Amino acid sequence: MKDAVSAFPLFGLHQLWGQVLPATLLLLFSLSFPCSLPAQEAETLTLSGIVRQVLTAHPRTQAAQARVQAALGMARQARAYPNPAFTFTNNDFALERSYGLTQSLEWPFKRNYRVGVAEAEEKMAEGEQNGVRQEVIAAAREAFLGVLLAQESDRVAQAFVEATQRLQGSTEKLFQEGDIAEFEVLKAGVEARRAQTDLEKVQGQLTTARSVLNLLLGRAIDTPLALEGSLLTPPSVPPLAELLPLAEEQNPLLVAQRQAVEREQLNLKLAWASLVPDFSVDVARGEDRQAGVTGPLVGLTFSFSLWDRKEGAIAAARSKVAEAEANVRATQLQVRQTLISAYRNWETARGQVEAFAKGLVVQAEQAAVLAEQSYREGAGDLLGVLDAERSLLTVRRDYAQALFDRQLAWVAVERAAGIGTDQ
């Protein structure tokens, strides 16, 4: 051990300690903040994960859940029986006094109607909650697809910038060789700057799309975001003949409207039932100390429809039933129109995607490559190359938009048909 120590001179030990001490302090400092670095890393999110997070964080789903809980409370309250009332009277403090209980009694069919109304309102709240879930899910999917579209647009714009930069380099080389005029060099430079400006615009749109998705997730708008998904994945769409019955049965708005009809029908029965008088039973005990008499007192109280025959309430309840039934028919028409329109939009977008996939994009890419190669060899002109590159840019963007429209149309189909809420 002595030989090993003596192998290092004193100056070498000081130099070694001067290197080890700062590194050790840096390591300890970094360990004291273990979360600072991972917090800057972008979390990879899938569509299903985003939908779950948005459903949890969105205020509308929280408000819908609160409405359901409130309706559950009212349904529980509707099943409760009225409380008894205690009565105490004392005349002259020494001669006469009585005390007893008064219990209001309700006919069972009236109670059943009242409970039925509360349960119908509970089901309406649940249907409205499903509708809100569908709207939030659609918003989350649209935001997710919007980011994918913006990312693809950014990739296309970057490819166009690279193409214009290559073209600018080829133009400068041909000018130096004396094959073209200086005007074409200037024109190629202008086109490259235009492509760069367009890229900056697209990158701004990408930043906006990510901010929108981060807001839906309840996070800061500048939170790093990485998505796992592709616009190329085709949705599995059933035939329209299968979707129409599903929409009739499962559309949340229709479900809520049907429950509204049931509620108003029960309210009408309750209005008719109000003509049947309720009664109260009084059980008391009285004391007459002057006469020395003590005994029970039993009474019965009820009201009857002499002046108020509930004609206005019955007419109003009957009109509300008619209104609710008309709303169901109007909603059915609206749902069918929305579903058919969304399905036709999906068919149109699917046809456009198939047209691009069958070779339109590949042909545009081949035309751009041939035009650029011909120009470098001196057989073509700058205008032809620029036209080919712009055509390729347009085709790629239209293809990405068609893929986005196909996905978005399917989201609208799911929303109209009342499916896709099992997230």
Side-chain angles (χ1 to χ4, degrees):
M1 180 65 65
K2 182 178 179 181
D3 295 338
V5 174
S6 61
F8 293 95
L10 185 60
F11 177 78
L13 288 175
H14 282 288
Q15 185 178 14
L16 180 61
W17 180 249
Q19 295 175 355
V20 172
L21 180 60
T24 304
L25 292 177
L26 180 60
L27 177 60
L28 292 175
F29 181 78
S30 62
L31 290 177
S32 64
F33 298 95
C35 297
S36 60
L37 182 58
Q40 301 300 322
E41 297 179 356
E43 179 185 1
T44 302
L45 298 173
T46 61
L47 177 57
S48 59
I50 285 177
V51 169
R52 285 193 297 269
Q53 290 189 33
V54 173
L55 283 174
T56 302
H58 204 284
R60 292 195 61 191
T61 57
Q62 298 171 1
Q65 179 63 27
R67 286 195 296 270
V68 171
Q69 295 299 320
L72 288 172
M74 296 305 297
R76 186 168 59 252
Q77 182 63 38
R79 298 183 183 94
Y81 291 95
N83 293 320
F86 175 77
T87 305
F88 174 78
T89 58
N90 191 354
N91 296 332
D92 202 11
F93 295 97
L95 299 179
E96 182 180 349
R97 64 183 178 183
S98 63
Y99 46 90
L101 292 176
T102 301
Q103 177 65 58
S104 299
L105 300 178
E106 186 180 25
W107 294 101
F109 63 90
K110 286 187 177 182
R111 182 176 183 273
N112 292 337
Y113 292 156
R114 188 181 69 253
V115 172
V117 169
E119 290 177 345
E121 291 180 349
E122 174 190 338
K123 294 178 181 178
M124 286 179 60
E126 292 174 352
E128 292 172 356
Q129 181 187 31
N130 290 333
V132 169
R133 283 175 57 88
Q134 275 200 320
E135 293 177 4
V136 172
I137 290 173
R141 290 179 175 176
E142 185 175 352
F144 177 84
L145 296 172
V147 175
L148 293 183
L149 176 61
Q151 289 177 347
E152 181 62 21
S153 299
D154 179 68
R155 187 188 67 82
V156 171
Q158 288 181 357
F160 185 61
V161 167
E162 294 173 358
T164 55
Q165 290 175 349
R166 289 196 310 270
L167 182 60
Q168 184 180 15
S170 300
T171 304
E172 292 175 352
K173 182 179 179 181
L174 291 174
F175 172 71
Q176 293 173 359
E177 296 175 353
D179 295 335
I180 60 174
E182 185 178 4
F183 170 75
E184 294 193 1
V185 177
L186 297 175
K187 190 172 182 180
V190 170
E191 194 67 25
R193 287 191 292 273
R194 286 181 58 187
Q196 185 63 39
T197 302
D198 180 70
L199 174 61
E200 294 173 358
K201 177 181 177 181
V202 171
Q203 289 176 341
Q205 294 171 350
L206 176 58
T207 301
T208 301
R210 288 173 173 168
S211 299
V212 170
L213 184 53
N214 276 325
L215 285 176
L216 283 177
L217 292 170
R219 309 190 304 183
I221 59 175
D222 56 349
T223 304
L225 189 65
L227 304 183
E228 180 181 340
S230 173
L231 293 174
L232 293 171
T233 305
S236 179
V237 182
L240 182 60
E242 296 180 10
L243 291 172
L244 288 172
L246 285 176
E248 186 73 20
E249 179 183 357
Q250 300 182 10
N251 183 274
L253 187 57
L254 265 176
V255 172
Q257 290 290 348
R258 292 194 186 97
Q259 292 301 324
V261 172
E262 182 178 346
R263 180 193 62 184
E264 299 307 333
Q265 289 174 344
L266 290 171
N267 276 326
L268 177 59
K269 293 180 180 180
L270 197 58
W272 278 109
S274 63
L275 295 174
V276 180
D278 293 327
F279 59 93
S280 300
V281 176
D282 302 323
V283 178
R285 183 178 181 84
E287 298 179 358
D288 189 344
R289 294 188 175 186
Q290 185 175 6
V293 177
T294 301
L297 300 175
V298 179
L300 181 65
T301 304
F302 65 92
S303 63
F304 53 92
S305 302
L306 179 61
W307 314 117
D308 182 8
R309 299 181 180 274
K310 308 298 181 182
E311 296 175 351
I314 293 173
R318 187 182 293 112
S319 298
K320 287 184 178 180
V321 170
E323 179 187 2
E325 293 173 345
N327 285 335
V328 169
R329 295 191 297 271
T331 304
Q332 288 175 329
L333 179 60
Q334 177 185 353
V335 167
R336 291 179 65 88
Q337 290 175 342
T338 303
L339 177 58
I340 293 174
S341 176
Y343 193 86
R344 299 308 179 202
N345 290 338
W346 175 80
E347 289 182 328
T348 301
R350 181 189 60 178
Q352 292 178 346
V353 170
E354 291 176 353
F356 284 108
K358 286 180 179 178
L360 188 56
V361 177
V362 175
Q363 293 173 0
E365 291 175 348
Q366 292 176 349
V369 171
L370 292 176
E372 186 176 350
Q373 181 179 358
S374 177
Y375 180 72
R376 286 199 304 267
E377 295 174 354
D381 59 350
L382 179 62
L383 183 59
V385 180
L386 292 177
D387 288 341
E389 292 292 346
R390 292 195 193 101
S391 177
L392 176 59
L393 174 67
T394 301
V395 168
R396 284 175 171 172
R397 284 182 172 174
D398 290 345
Y399 182 37
Q401 186 65 45
L403 292 170
F404 174 79
D405 292 341
R406 183 181 65 175
Q407 298 285 348
L408 205 60
W410 171 234
V411 172
V413 169
E414 282 190 324
R415 183 177 176 183
I419 56 180
T421 60
D422 53 343
Q423 297 290 330

